[in-house]
Amino acid sequence: MSNIIEITDFSAPELDIFARLNEVQLLHYFEPQPGIFIAESPAVIERALDAGYLPLSLLIEQKQLDGQTQTILARCGKVPVYTGDFQVLKQLTGFPMTRGALCAMRRKPAKPVEEICAGARRIVVLENVVNPTNVGAIFRSAAALNMDAVLLTAPCSDPLYRRASRVSMGTVFQIPWTYFDSKKTQWPQQGLSLLHQLGFRTAAMALSDASIPIDDPRLMEEEKLAIVLGTEGDGLAASTIADCDYTVRIPMSHGVDSLNVAAAGAVAFWQLGRRL
């Protein structure tokens, strides 16, 4: 294949996007147009391609060229494919690549909240969830457990960051998502108001004396429900809890006072995403 390029010069500028640019630099790569993200592992790359994301170049371990990546190579056409053995790629990237494959891809323009939520029955709102592993795990659970969309506040970790998309197993490319526009729709007051205008009742996941258990029949009876999850450690802001329609708790045992946000999300999605 004429587009297979063996790595001989670690300093080649074509490799900057894999080796020397951080996530924020990739995000702004084509500014003011949407930038770049890196998809890691064949499964994640394939789901990104299925979702219509445009590949720019690939970095693939040599032994993988005749394996699972063949389908990916065929789908990516003539984009450059940089390759080397495991130790070369580890030295270049600074980390062992999952299943020996990275793909640089163009981002798409963000969609408005109204479009993302059109036709949705159950949505997730993430308030300031900054750990990309948690964001990825939440997306995976949301996709598996009947959530229709995910909305994020501005401080949240980007779902297209390499670790987030990898942990999600590529479900960030399957479930609709977007950020609240902090210039037009400030969270929480304006964001919650917009959700109410779209017909959603809002459920804050938080420990509170005023909370109701997650199996309360009123929650299941809501036609449209937004499940709001808060940042690691501190949880939801008091103002967010106050402005939501419900405050919801997951009953605990053995003296445990809370769950990790990704685990709490999975429990909430299973219970509240069931179709009656």
Side-chain angles (χ1 to χ4, degrees):
M1 299 174 65
S2 60
N3 56 328
I4 301 292
I5 305 165
E6 186 168 357
I7 296 169
T8 58
D9 180 6
F10 278 24
S11 65
E14 296 84 358
L15 298 174
D16 285 350
I17 54 179
F18 298 111
R20 287 172 285 278
L21 298 184
N22 61 37
E23 300 276 18
V24 175
Q25 289 171 316
L26 293 173
L27 176 64
H28 298 288
Y29 194 83
F30 293 119
E31 206 166 41
Q33 298 300 314
I36 296 172
F37 67 93
I38 304 296
E40 181 180 5
S41 86
V44 174
I45 294 169
E46 287 206 85
R47 284 182 170 169
L49 292 171
D50 290 343
Y53 286 90
L54 178 67
L56 299 175
S57 60
L58 294 120
L59 183 65
I60 297 179
E61 188 181 350
Q62 279 180 337
K63 72 176 184 179
Q64 299 291 344
L65 291 174
D66 295 324
Q68 187 179 358
T69 61
Q70 280 193 321
T71 301
I72 293 170
L73 294 175
R75 295 181 66 180
C76 289
K78 296 298 183 181
V79 304
V81 180
Y82 300 99
T83 188
D85 65 26
F86 176 84
Q87 291 303 327
V88 168
L89 298 192
K90 184 178 179 181
Q91 184 179 348
L92 175 70
T93 62
F95 59 88
M97 293 161 24
T98 302
R99 303 214 176 170
L102 298 176
C103 184
M105 312 187 89
R106 286 290 300 260
R107 288 175 175 265
K108 296 180 179 181
K111 293 182 178 180
V113 169
E114 294 87 343
E115 183 174 344
I116 292 296
C117 292
R121 174 180 173 271
R122 293 290 187 265
I123 65 172
V124 183
V125 179
L126 303 185
E127 180 182 89
N128 305 351
V129 179
V130 298
N131 186 307
T133 298
N134 282 335
V135 169
I138 290 168
F139 266 84
R140 188 173 181 181
S141 296
L145 299 172
N146 293 314
M147 298 296 106
D148 300 311
V150 179
L151 305 179
L152 303 98
T153 63
C156 285
S157 181
D158 191 328
L160 296 188
Y161 280 178
R162 181 179 61 84
R163 179 179 293 183
S165 64
R166 186 190 72 215
V167 170
S168 82
M169 291 297 293
T171 54
V172 295
F173 306 113
Q174 295 179 298
I175 186 166
W177 62 271
T178 195
Y179 282 90
F180 285 100
D181 187 333
S182 58
K183 295 181 180 179
K184 298 179 181 178
T185 311
Q186 292 186 353
W187 181 265
Q189 287 80 10
Q190 292 176 321
L192 288 170
S193 176
L194 175 58
L195 293 178
H196 288 139
Q197 291 173 31
L198 295 174
F200 288 93
R201 300 274 279 176
T202 51
M205 300 299 301
L207 297 173
S208 166
D209 292 339
S211 63
I212 61 174
I214 196 170
D215 59 354
D216 190 294
R218 289 172 291 178
L219 297 170
M220 298 298 294
E221 292 168 359
E222 292 290 357
E223 181 179 351
K224 300 173 74 172
L225 190 67
I227 301 165
V228 188
L229 298 168
T231 186
E232 301 88 350
D234 293 335
L236 289 170
S239 58
T240 301
I241 297 171
D243 287 344
C244 282
D245 299 300
Y246 299 103
T247 304
V248 181
R249 69 180 183 275
I250 298 170
M252 304 282 173
S253 62
H254 296 289
V256 177
D257 62 355
S258 65
L259 296 174
N260 164 273
V261 64
V267 173
F269 305 158
W270 181 85
Q271 173 66 32
L272 302 176
R274 290 183 293 166
R275 309 288 175 171
L276 295 180

